[in-house]
Amino acid sequence: MQALISAHSGLRWIALLLLLLAIFNAFTAKSYEKKHRLVNLFTMITFHIQLLIGLVLYYNYMTPKIGENWMENDASRFFGMEHISGMLLAIVAITIGHSKSKKGADAAAKFKAIKLWYVLALILVLAFIPWPFRTELGAGWF
Ligand code: HEM
C-alpha cells in the first residue's frame, strides 16, 4: 500500500506538468501538430492511471474506517469525500476535453476544447490536491 501511495503521490507532478504543458500549447501554438495531440493524450492517460491507483487507495483507505466518524476528521473527510469527488470531476473534464479536441474540425476548435476543459480540470486539481502545507492532511511532497 505504501508503494501505491508513493506512486500516486509522485505521479501527481507528471500529471500536473503534462496538464500545464497541454494548456500552454493550446494558448501558444500556431498549428496543431502530432506532438500537441500526444501531450493531450498522455495527460489523459496519466490522470486515468491516477484514477485507478486512487480507487485502490480509496477502497483500502475507507473500508477500515467504515463505522468510525470519518466525516468528523479533517483528513479522512478530505480523502474520503473532497479529494475523490473533486478529482473525479477533473478527470471527467479532461476526458471530455480530449475527446472534443480530437473531434474538432481545425486547430482552433481543437485548442479551444483544451483551453476550456483542461483549464477547468487544472482549477479542480489545484484545489483538491492534498498539498503538504495543509498540515492537517498529513501528506508529503512526493
Ligand atoms: C478519482 C481519482 C482519485 C482518487 C479516488 C484518489 C484517492 C486518493 C486517496 C484515497 C488518497 C489517500 C491515500 C492514503 O493516505 O491512504 C490519495 C492521496 C493523494 N492523492 Fe489522490 N486520488 C485520485 C486522484 C488524484 C489525482 C488526479 C492526483 C494528482 C494529480 C492525486 C494526488 C494525490 C496526492 C498528492 C495524495 C497524497 C499522497 C501522500 O500521502 O503523500 N490524486 N488519493
Side-chain angles (χ1 to χ4, degrees):
M1 222 18 76
Q2 194 50 52
L4 273 188
I5 294 175
S6 300
H8 189 69
S9 182
L11 209 56
R12 113 185 75 173
W13 298 112
I14 298 173
L16 259 180
L17 272 178
L18 283 168
L19 185 57
L20 286 170
L21 184 59
I23 292 170
F24 177 79
N25 287 341
F27 280 98
T28 58
K30 300 274 175 275
S31 60
Y32 190 83
E33 292 166 30
K34 188 179 171 195
K35 63 180 180 196
H36 301 132
R37 184 175 59 79
L38 287 180
V39 171
N40 297 343
L41 175 67
F42 288 144
T43 305
M44 187 179 75
I45 292 174
T46 314
F47 273 89
H48 282 191
I49 296 173
Q50 284 295 69
L51 169 65
L52 289 182
I53 304 177
L55 288 177
V56 176
L57 291 177
Y58 179 76
Y59 182 78
N60 286 280
Y61 186 83
M62 292 315 298
T63 310
K65 292 190 161 42
I66 288 181
E68 294 173 24
N69 295 330
W70 63 273
M71 286 284 284
E72 282 157 30
N73 174 293
D74 280 349
S76 56
R77 192 184 56 245
F78 177 83
F79 287 114
M81 205 172 72
E82 295 161 24
H83 181 64
I84 182 172
S85 332
M87 292 308 192
L88 263 179
L89 287 176
I91 293 166
V92 168
I94 288 176
T95 310
I96 295 175
H98 179 256
S99 151
K100 285 197 181 290
S101 85
K102 260 175 50 183
K103 291 187 194 135
D106 52 21
K110 287 173 182 296
F111 283 136
K112 190 177 163 202
I114 300 297
K115 284 181 198 163
L116 177 64
W117 293 100
Y118 277 35
V119 169
L120 178 65
L122 177 65
I123 294 168
L124 287 166
V125 168
L126 290 178
F128 290 104
I129 279 186
W131 295 109
F133 45 79
R134 296 183 66 178
T135 42
E136 77 280 12
L137 301 177
W141 286 104
F142 292 100

